[in-house]
């Protein structure tokens, strides 16, 4: 059984390097945003909720870039499926990574599900795939914010995140939830 990690704010995140649809490679350690890299893990081509969610993200890319945030969306899908998602969901400006391993998913604290066959989108789910998550990572590789889902629905709103970023950046607000050993911290 693979162990699922817990990522804590103000701690280094695991390495993350994936190929990109259309060519090239995303390597988190090489990102140089002014404020954050937003890493959005999505379920894959089979997920109609992901299509809408990433569509909203795509529509907010310019605003996020203006706030000093670089963005990537990635799944464990194959190159073919990720390419189809990028084209079918009309995401020309969103970097789409693919092919991350389920071991990498566990290192990032993601939940993993089994296939239930064909979805309402008419696409068969992979045998195993990672459920959604969203992380904001500081340029130095420290986790600032993270949310991990067990289901495809009820994800954080990009409108809310964008508004929060205005406050966070203006006030140099620290990452919260950083206490690993609460008993020791209380002493």
């Amino acid at each position: 059984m693979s162990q699922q990690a817990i990522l804590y704010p103000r701690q280094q995140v695991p390495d993350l390097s994936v190929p990109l649809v259309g060519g090239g490679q995303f390597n988190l350690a090489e990102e140089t945003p002014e404020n954050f890299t937003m890493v959005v893990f999505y379920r894959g081509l089979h997920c109609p909720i992901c299509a809408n969610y990433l569509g909203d993200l795509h529509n907010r890319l310019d605003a996020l870039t203006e706030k000093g945030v670089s963005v990537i969306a990635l799944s464990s899908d194959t190159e073919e499926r990720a390419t189809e998602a990028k084209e079918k969901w009309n995401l020309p400006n969103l970097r789409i990574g693919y092919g991350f391993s389920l071991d990498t998913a566990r290192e990032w604290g993601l939940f993993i599900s089994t296939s239930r066959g064909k979805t309402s989108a008419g696409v068969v789910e992979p045998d195993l795939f990672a459920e959604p998550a969203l992380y904001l990572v500081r340029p130095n590789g420290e986790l600032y914010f993270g949310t991990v889902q067990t289901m495809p629905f009820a994800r954080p709103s990009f409108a809310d995140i964008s508004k929060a970023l205005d406050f966070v950046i203006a006030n140099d607000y620290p990452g919260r939830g950083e206490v690993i050993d609460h008993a020791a911290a209380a002493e």
Side-chain angles (χ1 to χ4, degrees):
M1 180 168 115
S2 61
Q3 196 68 357
Q4 184 169 353
I6 297 173
L7 304 185
Y8 288 92
R10 303 186 198 176
Q11 300 294 315
Q12 293 293 305
V13 297
D15 291 337
L16 184 61
S17 182
V18 293
L20 295 169
V21 169
Q25 188 83 8
F26 170 85
N27 186 328
L28 183 57
E30 295 174 2
E31 288 291 292
T32 58
E34 181 182 349
N35 291 303
F36 299 101
T37 298
M38 179 183 288
V39 180
V40 180
F41 291 94
Y42 73 99
R43 299 171 88 221
L45 175 65
H46 64 276
C47 178
I49 296 171
C50 295
N52 292 332
Y53 195 62
L54 295 187
D56 182 38
L57 176 59
H58 185 269
N59 292 337
R60 297 177 188 280
L61 280 176
D62 289 343
L64 289 166
T65 300
E66 288 173 13
K67 296 175 195 294
V69 179
S70 68
V71 178
I72 183 167
L74 62 154
S75 75
S76 57
D77 268 351
T78 64
E79 180 179 11
E80 295 75 24
R81 287 172 66 102
T83 300
E84 184 177 345
K86 184 174 176 101
E87 293 170 1
K88 186 176 182 181
W89 298 348
N90 193 27
L91 307 170
N93 301 319
L94 180 59
R95 291 187 295 177
I96 301 290
Y98 62 89
F100 72 86
S101 71
L102 295 180
D103 287 339
T104 298
R106 285 295 195 206
E107 290 172 4
W108 279 81
L110 276 58
F111 291 92
I112 297 172
S113 292
T114 59
S115 178
R116 294 182 42 94
K118 194 178 280 189
T119 67
S120 61
V123 179
V124 175
E125 294 178 342
D127 291 339
L128 295 170
F129 58 92
E131 291 293 345
L134 186 150
Y135 293 100
L136 288 174
V137 180
R138 290 197 179 273
N140 66 0
E142 287 181 1
L143 177 64
Y144 180 76
F145 166 85
T147 179
V148 181
Q149 307 289 135
T150 64
M151 292 285 191
F153 43 80
R155 298 185 209 183
S157 155
F158 290 116
D160 290 346
I161 292 170
S162 186
K163 282 188 241 173
L165 283 168
D166 291 335
F167 175 83
V168 162
I169 294 165
N171 294 287
D172 194 26
Y173 193 78
R176 304 309 317 255
E178 75 282 3
V179 177
I180 296 170
D181 183 349
H182 67 279
E187 294 176 356

